[in-house]
Every structure is written in C-alpha cells, then in structure tokens.
Amino acid sequence: MDIFENREARAMLIADQSKPFDDPNYFYELKFDGIRCLAYITKDDVDLRNKRNKNITSLFPELLKLNLQVNSRCILDGEIIVMRNGTPDFFEVQKRTLMTNPFKIKLQSSRLPATFVTYDIIYVGDKDLVDLSLEERKVILNQTVKENDRIAISKTVENHGVALFNLTKQQGLEGVVAKRKGSKYFYGKRSKDWIKFKEIG
C-alpha cells in the first residue's frame, strides 16, 4: 500500500522566521489564519487530516464535495479557513474543531462555511510528487484543482515580499510565507526553504 492508502503523509513545516525581505529566488504567499490540513481526495471521497493526522472531515460537512473540484486522486496541502467580515477568523475555525454535535456542526457550516485553501499538491494519481520542484508542483496543482467557493488555490507573488507583508498587516491578516524556488517537499520536516515573516523591530 502506498502513502495515499496508508494515510502516512505528514505536512512539511516552517523552520525559520525572518524579517520581511525581497529576493527573486523566493515565492511569497499569504499565511492564512486557519487550520493546517492535508486533503486526501478521490473521485468519490474526501478525507481531511490535521497536523496530528486526526480525521476532521466530519467537522466540515461543507467540504465533502471537494472531490467534484479535482480531476484526479490527490493529496492537497493547505489550510481550512472560515471567513468573517472578509478576513479569516481563527476563533471560528477553532471553535468548529471543538464541536461534537452533528446538528450544531451542520448549522455552523451553513452560517459560516469553511473554505479549503490549497498551496501545494504532494501526490496525484498514483505518483508521489515530493521530489519535484515547487514550481512543478504548482503547475500540477493548477491542472488538478478547479476553484469554487469551497476550495481556492493560494496565489504567489514574486519580488515583493516586503510590500506583501505590509499589506497583510494593513488588512489584519496573519502574515506571509517565503518559499524558495526549486524546493522539494519534505514530509513532516521543518525546512529552511519555507520562511515565515515576523514583525520588524
């Protein structure tokens, strides 16, 4: 059995923090204030796992049709977010993870539906993609996923890491992650290829 069937994938982690910088060797992405999640998706099924590999699918019934938005069996890396007043609200998504009553979960999913924001694809069809470059995985991600209200592909910015970081602060967002171009994906490891920006000063 492969890593998909065994549910053995583990999310790659951010190793370093740095003051914002501009560097043509990096992509810059928004850091969403949500719950890190790997989504195992087939044509018939969606299985959502948090960083501890706990199955959290039942907590987000509004995401059960993500399989309709992909064209191949895959593992997507991303975050589950809940928007309130136009910005991600970590309290709301965290509150959902503490709920146990299916009826209340269903009500909450209708009132404040979650979205899965994916920024990487680490498996597609029957192939592990972790040894491909970040750029190659991004191309496959865009070929595999069709966006709608419940799934979005994280957008990248080049050359303007400082400006993006300043914009996130103005908008009350969590921050920015810089990802080195050409970088591979390391299961469950902290890699210096992914850098979180922190406040200046």
Side-chain angles (χ1 to χ4, degrees), residues 5 53 59 131 188:
E5 297 298 335
N53 203 32
L59 300 174
D131 285 331

Side-chain angles (χ1 to χ4, degrees), residues 98-149:
L98 301 175
M99 299 176 74
T100 56
N101 184 304
F103 178 72
K104 291 183 178 180
I105 291 171
K106 185 68 174 177
L107 284 179
Q108 193 72 359
S109 71
S110 298
R111 188 176 73 87
L112 288 172
T115 298
F116 183 70
V117 181
T118 178
Y119 38 73
D120 217 327
I121 184 168
I122 55 181
Y123 186 103
V124 69
D126 59 358
K127 296 180 180 179
D128 201 322
L129 305 180
V130 295
D131 285 331
L132 297 182
S133 69
L134 176 61
E135 293 93 321
E136 291 173 300
R137 298 196 309 273
K138 290 283 190 183
V139 170
I140 296 171
L141 177 63
N142 280 279
Q143 293 172 341
T144 304
V145 174
K146 181 180 179 181
E147 295 179 295
N148 69 359
D149 290 343

Side-chain angles (χ1 to χ4, degrees), residues 63 72 80 174 188-189:
L63 302 181
S72 182
I80 296 174
E174 186 181 3
K189 303 292 186 182

Side-chain angles (χ1 to χ4, degrees), residues 20-22 27-31 154-178 197:
F21 59 80
D22 295 328
F27 291 115
Y28 303 99
E29 295 185 67
L30 293 178
K31 190 175 190 304
S154 175
K155 304 302 185 287
T156 60
V157 172
E158 296 185 69
N159 302 316
H160 300 292
V162 176
L164 183 61
F165 179 79
N166 290 336
L167 183 61
T168 63
K169 292 305 162 187
Q170 293 172 15
Q171 299 296 323
L173 302 175
E174 186 181 3
V176 170
V177 176
F197 286 172

